Amino acid sequence: MAPLVYVCVRPQQDAAEAEYASFRRAMELDESQLERVDLTRDSLPADAFDRWRGFVVGGSPYNATDAAEHKPEGQVRLEADLARIADAAASGATAALFTCFGIGVATRQLGGSTSRAYPEDTGPAEITLTDAGRDDPLMGGLSTTFTALTAHKEGTAELPAAAVLLATNDACPVQAYRIGDRLYATQFHPEPTPEDFTDRMTVYRNDGYFDAADYDIVAARVRAASVTEPARMLAAFARAF
């Protein structure tokens, strides 16, 4: 069986290495079962959809809503590659899970829209499954309301026409959706433990996600959070695809 692949879209290599380890642990896979491709360095291989049976897309400091003229060349290139993955998964040709930054690219590619109107503070957020989410093959086994970790400056304003809303909250109403039965997207980060997340915060403490002077306060709130359900979704994705 072909392996799954973690798709790196983080330019910061230390954060990317840690994110890959978080995904692998949450998905209960070894390095041969979850390979890596770094789109910040290389284009998506021409044989990607033959080489890998499914894709998990990590987060990034990039924003899909950045003005096109201000996007660096590397961001433009990797967004085009993510769009290819989104099209393939939406058509059922592969499986994919887009997280955080990735949901914005997938949403835009598949006919929805993103907006800066739905940011969330760095830290734990309460997520609630919709009726469709409670019946979903991957998310239906989760608690109806659970805690996940978030840190983002944009969110989905309008779902793609084919999308089924799976999870929501007041601050950012689109927290997860599915298109068909092989494309999933989450606004929250499903992979990190609180310890992983606070380590990542040190990398991005000056990037505007929170006031750098409040690092200790935010980190304490993260460490106190009980975050178990999102990883269960990732494990279910690995088993399903």
Side-chain angles (χ1 to χ4, degrees), residues 131-162:
D131 289 345
R134 288 191 287 273
D135 290 335
D136 182 74
L138 297 192
M139 301 193 73
L142 308 185
S143 297
T144 300
T145 299
F146 60 90
T147 300
L149 297 168
T150 66
H152 59 96
K153 301 173 183 178
E154 62 186 7
T156 299
E158 182 180 2
L159 283 166

Side-chain angles (χ1 to χ4, degrees), residues 12 19 27 33 94 108 110 112 122 136 173 176 178 186 201 235-236:
Q12 298 81 7
E19 184 176 62
M27 298 175 79
Q33 296 167 314
T94 192
R108 182 187 58 192
L110 299 171
T122 297
D136 182 74
R178 183 190 73 238
T186 69
M201 284 170 53

Side-chain angles (χ1 to χ4, degrees), residues 68-161:
E69 63 270 21
H70 295 148
K71 290 182 180 180
E73 181 180 348
Q75 180 179 350
V76 172
R77 178 178 51 77
L78 69 81
E79 285 188 9
D81 283 339
L82 294 184
R84 287 179 56 203
I85 297 171
D87 284 336
S91 71
T94 192
L97 170 62
F98 294 85
T99 69
C100 199
F101 162 70
I103 193 176
V105 177
T107 296
R108 182 187 58 192
Q109 177 65 17
L110 299 171
S113 64
T114 56
S115 168
R116 294 284 182 131
Y118 304 104
E120 285 184 285
D121 291 337
T122 297
E126 186 175 274
I127 310 296
T128 300
L129 296 180
T130 64
D131 289 345
R134 288 191 287 273
D135 290 335
D136 182 74
L138 297 192
M139 301 193 73
L142 308 185
S143 297
T144 300
T145 299
F146 60 90
T147 300
L149 297 168
T150 66
H152 59 96
K153 301 173 183 178
E154 62 186 7
T156 299
E158 182 180 2
L159 283 166

